[in-house]
Amino acid sequence: MAQRCSFCRVPDNQVDRIVYGTNFNICSDCIRTCLEVLDGELVTGWAITTSPQRCDNCNRRPSEGYRHLLNRATYSPRVCERCLRFYTEVLLKEMPTLEEELQNIIQNVFEDPENPDDLDDRDTPNGLDDTQPEDLFDNLENGNNGNAPLDEHPTEQNMLQQMQTELATQTQEKIKDITRQAIEELERRPERVSQTTTQTEPAPLSISLEKPLGILFDLGDTLLRHLRFDPTAGTEALLKIANNPFGHSAESINERIESINQDLVPRREQAQIEFHPHIIQRHVYEALHITFDRDHAAVERVFWRHAMKWEHEPGVEAMLQKLQAYGIPLGIVSNAAFTGSTLWWELEQQGLSDYFRFLMSSADYWVRKPHPLLMDTAAAKLGFANRDVWYVGNSAHYDVAAARNAGMGAIWYNRAEDPNDGPEPHVEIKSWDAFVALVEKYLD
């Protein structure tokens, strides 16, 4: 079965080469395209994303100093510029090393091309006896051919030194040739992109924006602004209620969690599958022989209370009051590694829970946005067809894509004025006042 590039979905038999990574494959064409985008060129479907999600290869976040790219036309994995430099080097290293070339040349010189199998049955040239090519190469650095000092055989010494010099020159020329070819390819690339732009445009919105019979919202940085996540404070609070026979510190526990996340989070992103937090708890605390005298939900709540801090997004409560007055049923769909009961508890603390019929956390529903199954279930809970529901969220990559995948109205709440790292929404808004005006326009 042909392997496909994870970024453009092209099979390996249609590209020059595919580099196989741990969590994704990337073809030579996509590597070159990424380099163009990093250089500031506009390429349809590609974007530098400011989302805090990690690179799917090295697990670094953009905040760690590396720009991240993705092909939003195919909802590709994220790749950072640090990994792109590595993949570029892989493409440029399609040549033997200097030592390998020297080995081959020496072996070719001392073998009889007419009868290579009878090397041991004849005299070797210039009285070198039975010294094997690899022995000669090993002794070269020590100035000895295995039988006598090199100054007794000036012909061989001069020949080998000349071979080294010539081979170094040839290798450098190969590097220059490959680099020149890569530069020429990059220079030709914009023309090819412009010729195929119509083929790589994102698919048009499948539905027009209709009057909303129900509205769904994202939670984090949409309804509530995320102010802090302090995992050490959360773990320290847990240790105060834990039986910790081996005295594990909060730092050692968080290191284990981070190690697990480095392996599982890229898999989660690629598969659009969510992990229930209780499963992670078991892999961490059971493995360290730490126990609690309360259930998983209570343990999760303690961590949440001490690790998280939230506040209302500006103008959100006034907006919800107006929607409630219009009688529009509302729900919440959130990508989260915490259960819906914990998220609902936070909504209650913020005084917003009365406005919503339900809250769905991906941790309770197995899949995560932009998978459409989560949105299909939410629309059914509201009691409407998908096309009659709007979904509002701050992430184009997750929220707008989820709405479009499910055939809902896609509203991008972009108060932060982030660049678009996903498909185009029906409408982009930058304040809740603008959203209320949009709803009233469709209700009239």
Side-chain angles (χ1 to χ4, degrees):
M1 179 182 296
Q3 293 287 337
R4 291 182 177 272
C5 173
S6 304
F7 291 81
C8 67
R9 304 293 191 264
V10 171
D12 53 12
N13 59 5
Q14 295 182 20
V15 294
D16 292 337
R17 189 179 176 195
I18 284 185
V19 180
Y20 299 97
T22 303
N23 296 306
F24 58 73
N25 308 327
I26 183 167
C27 71
S28 51
D29 285 347
C30 285
I31 292 174
R32 296 184 186 107
T33 300
C34 287
L35 295 176
E36 294 168 12
V37 176
L38 288 172
D39 285 340
E41 296 188 25
L42 297 178
V43 181
T44 301
W46 285 87
I48 297 176
T49 173
T50 58
S51 168
Q53 299 299 318
R54 297 178 183 273
C55 169
D56 288 308
N57 184 63
C58 70
N59 210 41
R60 285 177 169 81
R61 295 184 186 276
S63 59
E64 296 178 55
Y66 299 99
R67 292 176 292 175
H68 288 50
L69 297 95
L70 75 158
N71 187 342
R72 66 190 187 193
T74 56
Y75 307 126
S76 74
R78 285 168 168 74
V79 61
C80 71
E81 58 183 320
R82 178 182 180 275
C83 290
L84 281 168
R85 287 201 295 270
F86 168 75
Y87 289 131
T88 304
E89 291 175 4
V90 171
L91 289 180
L92 292 177
K93 287 182 178 177
E94 298 180 333
M95 67 185 74
T97 63
L98 177 62
E99 291 79 10
E100 289 171 338
E101 287 275 13
L102 187 57
Q103 283 266 31
N104 293 334
I105 291 178
I106 292 173
Q107 188 165 0
N108 291 336
V109 167
F110 292 115
E111 282 186 356
D112 181 356
E114 298 297 327
N115 191 11
D117 295 330
D118 65 352
L119 180 62
D120 293 336
D121 298 330
R122 58 185 171 84
D123 291 335
T124 53
N126 299 310
L128 288 179
D129 299 329
D130 295 330
T131 303
Q132 297 297 315
E134 56 268 26
D135 297 329
L136 180 64
F137 180 73
D138 292 338
N139 291 325
L140 182 59
E141 294 180 356
N142 299 323
N144 196 308
N145 66 10
N147 292 282
L150 278 174
D151 56 7
E152 295 182 12
H153 302 284
T155 303
E156 288 84 348
Q157 182 185 29
N158 293 339
M159 181 180 67
L160 291 174
Q161 289 177 344
Q162 183 179 1
M163 287 164 56
Q164 280 185 298
T165 302
E166 291 179 354
L167 184 56
T169 302
Q170 293 171 9
T171 303
Q172 290 301 319
E173 288 301 320
K174 285 185 180 181
I175 293 174
K176 290 179 182 179
D177 287 343
I178 292 177
T179 304
R180 184 167 55 252
Q181 292 171 11
I183 293 172
E184 291 173 354
E185 175 67 21
L186 288 178
E187 290 174 347
R188 291 194 299 267
R189 180 69 178 178
E191 179 181 355
R192 296 213 312 270
V193 171
S194 63
Q195 291 172 352
T196 59
T197 296
T198 56
Q199 299 176 5
T200 57
E201 287 285 351
L205 291 170
S206 58
I207 63 167
S208 59
L209 193 63
E210 303 291 341
K211 173 182 176 181
L213 302 184
I215 299 176
L216 297 168
F217 292 87
D218 175 46
L219 181 62
D221 291 327
T222 299
L223 298 172
L224 298 180
R225 183 191 300 182
H226 190 196
L227 299 178
R228 185 195 70 186
F229 175 55
D230 187 347
T232 300
T235 304
E236 287 175 346
L238 288 183
L239 290 178
K240 292 178 180 179
I241 62 169
N243 176 27
N244 184 12
F246 295 101
H248 292 290
S249 66
E251 288 75 15
S252 65
I253 293 170
N254 287 339
E255 285 177 3
R256 180 173 178 81
I257 294 173
E258 182 65 21
S259 176
I260 292 172
N261 285 341
Q262 285 180 358
D263 176 49
L264 295 185
V265 168
R267 302 174 191 271
R268 178 189 71 174
E269 290 295 313
Q270 189 170 14
Q272 298 177 15
I273 300 297
E274 192 62 88
F275 307 129
H276 198 284
H278 301 171
I279 301 299
I280 303 301
Q281 286 181 30
R282 301 189 74 165
H283 283 298
V284 174
Y285 293 107
E286 288 185 15
L288 299 177
H289 304 283
I290 297 174
T291 58
F292 300 91
D293 62 357
R294 58 194 75 185
D295 62 22
H296 289 297
V299 172
E300 178 186 311
R301 188 75 52 77
V302 170
F303 179 90
W304 176 277
R305 285 170 39 221
H306 291 84
M308 297 289 193
K309 185 175 182 180
W310 303 81
E311 68 179 12
H312 290 186
E313 275 287 307
V316 70
E317 189 161 17
M319 176 271 295
L320 292 174
Q321 289 172 351
K322 290 188 177 180
L323 295 185
Q324 188 179 59
Y326 292 136
I328 302 175
L330 311 177
I332 298 173
V333 181
S334 176
N335 272 359
F338 294 89
T339 58
S341 61
T342 294
L343 301 185
W344 188 259
W345 177 87
E346 182 66 42
L347 205 64
E348 290 177 331
Q349 305 310 302
Q350 298 288 339
L352 299 180
S353 59
D354 289 345
Y355 295 104
F356 299 94
R357 291 190 177 184
F358 59 84
L359 183 154
M360 293 172 56
S361 169
S362 58
D364 297 325
Y365 287 84
W366 193 55
V367 294
R368 57 188 278 110
K369 299 175 290 187
H371 199 289
L373 179 58
L374 202 62
M375 313 306 295
D376 293 342
T377 301
K381 287 168 70 71
L382 283 179
F384 302 113
N386 289 18
R387 64 179 177 274
D388 296 322
V389 175
W390 289 6
Y391 184 66
V392 190
N394 69 302
S395 168
H397 178 72
Y398 292 112
D399 300 323
V400 173
R404 286 187 53 172
N405 288 344
M408 294 180 176
I411 312 298
W412 185 22
Y413 173 65
N414 189 23
R415 182 180 59 83
E417 299 189 23
D418 291 327
N420 189 331
D421 65 349
E424 293 300 320
H426 285 94
V427 179
E428 176 184 349
I429 58 169
K430 297 181 180 179
S431 71
W432 288 122
D433 287 341
F435 180 67
V436 170
L438 177 68
V439 172
E440 291 174 339
K441 172 184 174 182
Y442 277 82
L443 294 181
D444 291 341

